[in-house]
Structure formats: C-alpha cells, structure tokens
C-alpha cells in the first residue's frame, strides 16, 4: 500500500510563501492504477516528484512498500528511487547520445533482477528501434523507450507525469495500452498525472487536485480498458 499522510509543500520565502500542496492524505492499494487530475499549477508534478523522492516534503510522510520517506536523507532517497521507482515524463528524457538499447540498459543496470531488454523491446514493439539514437525515432516510439527504461528494473511504483501529453491520439492510446499491460502483468502500482479526463476511466482510483488541495479520491466501479477509452 502507498500512504500519503498529511503532506504539505510550499515554495518561496518566509514573507512570500506559495503553498503548493496543502494537507494531502490518501492511500493507494498495491498493484492499482491511479490517475491524478487537476488544472495546470494544481500541484500534480510536485506531488509526483515528492512521491518519487526527487523533491522533499515540508510536513507529513509518505510510505511506499513499508519505507517512510520523510526521515530519509539524500542517499537513502537515491537508493529508494533506484530500487523502487520507474519514471515516465511528458518529454521522454532519453539520453540523446546513447542508443535506444543503451537507454533501456541504464534502467536495467539499476536492478539486481532486471527484465530482459530484448523481451521487453519485443513486448513494447520497439525491436527495430534498438540500434537507433533518440533523435532518429518518433515521439510515440520515444515514449515506449522511456517506458521500457522505467520498467526494465521492475519497479514497485511506476510514476507517469503526463505520459501522453506530447503524443497524437493513436500514439497516446498505444502508450496507455502498454502501461495497462505492464500494470496487469507485473502488478506494478501505477500513478498517472494528466489533464486528460478520459484516462481516469481506465484507473481504479481517481484523485482530483485543485489549488494544492485534494478535492476527491474516488474508486471507479467500471474500469474501461485502454482500448475502450476515447477522447
Ligand atoms: N521549484 C519550484 N519553485 C517555486 N514554485 C514552484 C516550483 N515547482 C513548482 N512550483 C509552483 O507550484 C505550483 C504547482 O506546480 P506543479 O508543477 O506541481 O503543477 P502541475 O499540476 O503539475 O501543472 P501542469 O499541469 O501545468 O504540469 C505552481 O504554481 C508552480 O509554479
Ligand atoms: Mg505538471
């Protein structure tokens, strides 16, 4: 289970404090797929970055697979990121001077028990791209590569920040399909931040942020498959 417990985050100086996350509390069951919705600036990326150990919190705690994040120092957070997390971002964040295969290997190297890169490439439909550099592949392919890199280490938590934000409809649907497959196959907990309301219908838990506050945390009774989702 993932627990977010009375989380607070603010930026700025003492006189000019911007409260970006205000007393956020919720839990996610292991292996679930969750969606984080909210307008631009509502705090989605900040929440994911704190959950991912990239940003620190001011108050509260987060518990992932029994690990309490609040008391962790830099080194411990780094280990947590390396062992437990897979990240996928809107603009892929691939290493430009490494081939696709090498990019995926950077994920695999972080694990004691990684997935096989060739089998993963086959599963994600990027076998023909393995020898290319990121500048030689399409956006949809690049996002598949970044998913492969994140999944190669078999993370327990898969964090996706606007994974389809830069993609056309068909590529976005394909990427959602892959995320859904990986969630089912490896029972990885997935949390997706997005502006796209349609993505919420394929997630078991739907979280809504507004102006740094959690407005609702609801369970979907009827979950659509990535194939059925339309927008
Ligand atoms: N490092 C920072 N320093 C100061 N303010 C920040 C910092 N990071 C984020 N903010 C502010 O925190 C608020 C929330 O930003 P965040 O990136 O979490 O929003 P978001 O919901 O992800 O938005 P979007 O949908 O546009 O990606 C914004 O007002 C932003 O300007
Ligand atoms: Mg964001």
């Amino acid at each position: 289970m993932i627990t977010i417990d009375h989380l607070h985050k603010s930026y700025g100086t003492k006189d000019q404090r911007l409260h970006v996350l205000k007393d956020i509390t919720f839990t996610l069951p292991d292996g679930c797929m969750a969606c984080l919705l909210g307008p631009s600036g509502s705090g989605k990326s900040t929440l994911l970055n704190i959950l991912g150990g990239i940003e620190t919190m001011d108050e509260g705690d987060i518990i992932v697979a029994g690990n309490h994040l609040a008391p962790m120092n830099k080194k411990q957070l780094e280990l947590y990121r390396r062992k437990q997390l897979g990240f996928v971002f809107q603009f892929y964040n691939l290493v430009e001077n490494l081939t696709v295969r090498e990019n995926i290997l950077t994920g695999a190297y972080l694990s004691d028990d990684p997935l096989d890169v060739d089998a993963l490439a086959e599963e994600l439909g990027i076998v023909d791209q393995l020898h290319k550099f990121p500048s030689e592949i399409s956006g949809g392919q690049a996002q598949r590569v970044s998913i492969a890199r994140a999944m190669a280490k078999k993370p327990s938590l898969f964090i996706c920040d606007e994974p389809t934000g830069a993609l056309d409809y068909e590529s976005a649907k394909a990427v959602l399909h892959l995320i859904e497959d990986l969630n089912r196959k490896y029972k990885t907990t997935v949390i997706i931040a997005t502006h796209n309301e349609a993505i919420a219908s394929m997630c078991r838990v739907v979280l809504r942020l507004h102006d740094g506050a959690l407005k609702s945390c609801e369970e979907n009774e009827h979950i659509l498959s990535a194939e059925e989702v339309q927008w």
Side-chain angles (χ1 to χ4, degrees):
M1 188 146 89
I2 293 172
T3 304
I4 313 278
D5 186 18
H6 296 291
L7 180 69
H8 288 263
K9 176 71 180 177
S10 59
Y11 290 111
T13 59
K14 206 174 167 199
D15 308 332
Q16 272 203 317
R17 214 97 209 116
L18 178 65
H19 293 275
V20 175
L21 295 175
K22 304 166 185 168
D23 200 23
I24 307 284
T25 296
F26 64 88
T27 59
L28 295 179
D30 280 336
C32 91
M33 200 142 111
C35 182
L36 182 58
L37 291 168
S40 184
S42 57
K44 302 183 296 296
S45 295
T46 307
L47 177 54
L48 292 190
N49 289 342
I50 297 175
L51 179 60
I54 294 175
E55 274 280 1
T56 55
M57 59 194 97
D58 294 345
E59 284 176 50
D61 198 1
I62 294 180
I63 306 145
V64 178
N67 301 294
H68 288 260
L69 267 56
M72 283 190 189
N73 60 30
K74 252 180 141 175
K75 192 96 200 128
Q76 290 167 318
L77 281 174
E78 190 184 307
L79 201 64
Y80 158 74
R81 279 200 302 275
R82 199 188 300 166
K83 293 290 169 205
Q84 313 266 358
L85 294 191
F87 273 102
V88 167
F89 301 98
Q90 181 172 0
F91 297 109
Y92 331 124
N93 289 17
L94 297 176
V95 183
E96 291 295 325
N97 59 351
L98 296 181
T99 63
V100 162
R101 176 188 288 281
E102 289 162 346
N103 264 282
I104 301 172
L105 281 172
T106 62
Y109 282 142
L110 297 175
S111 169
D112 305 327
D113 179 27
L115 296 176
D116 179 75
V117 169
D118 290 292
L120 196 57
E122 179 85 46
E123 208 174 325
L124 299 185
I126 48 173
V127 173
D128 293 341
Q129 320 303 327
L130 283 172
H131 66 285
K132 294 187 185 170
F133 287 93
S135 60
E136 299 169 333
I137 60 178
S138 72
Q141 288 163 345
Q143 197 58 300
R144 285 158 185 259
V145 175
S146 85
I147 290 172
R149 176 180 59 183
M151 285 306 297
K153 62 174 167 179
K154 277 198 254 168
S156 55
L157 174 58
F158 191 36
I159 293 179
C160 307
D161 195 352
E162 303 273 3
T164 60
L167 302 178
D168 63 83
Y169 184 77
E170 289 306 326
S171 301
K173 292 260 291 181
V175 159
L176 292 175
H177 206 151
L178 290 175
I179 294 174
E180 176 184 66
D181 277 353
L182 296 169
N183 166 256
R184 284 190 187 153
K185 184 162 176 188
Y186 301 107
K187 310 271 180 277
T188 310
T189 309
V190 177
I191 179 160
I192 306 172
T194 181
H195 288 117
N196 186 345
E197 289 270 342
I199 295 178
S201 53
M202 58 178 277
C203 293
R204 179 155 145 213
V205 178
V206 182
L207 303 152
R208 286 179 194 276
L209 271 185
H210 194 83
D211 196 21
L214 186 65
K215 286 293 164 207
S216 64
C217 173
E218 285 168 354
E219 283 222 17
N220 256 336
E221 282 186 20
H222 301 288
I223 300 171
L224 298 184
S225 67
E227 211 149 324
E228 292 168 313
V229 169
Q230 287 184 346
W231 66 89

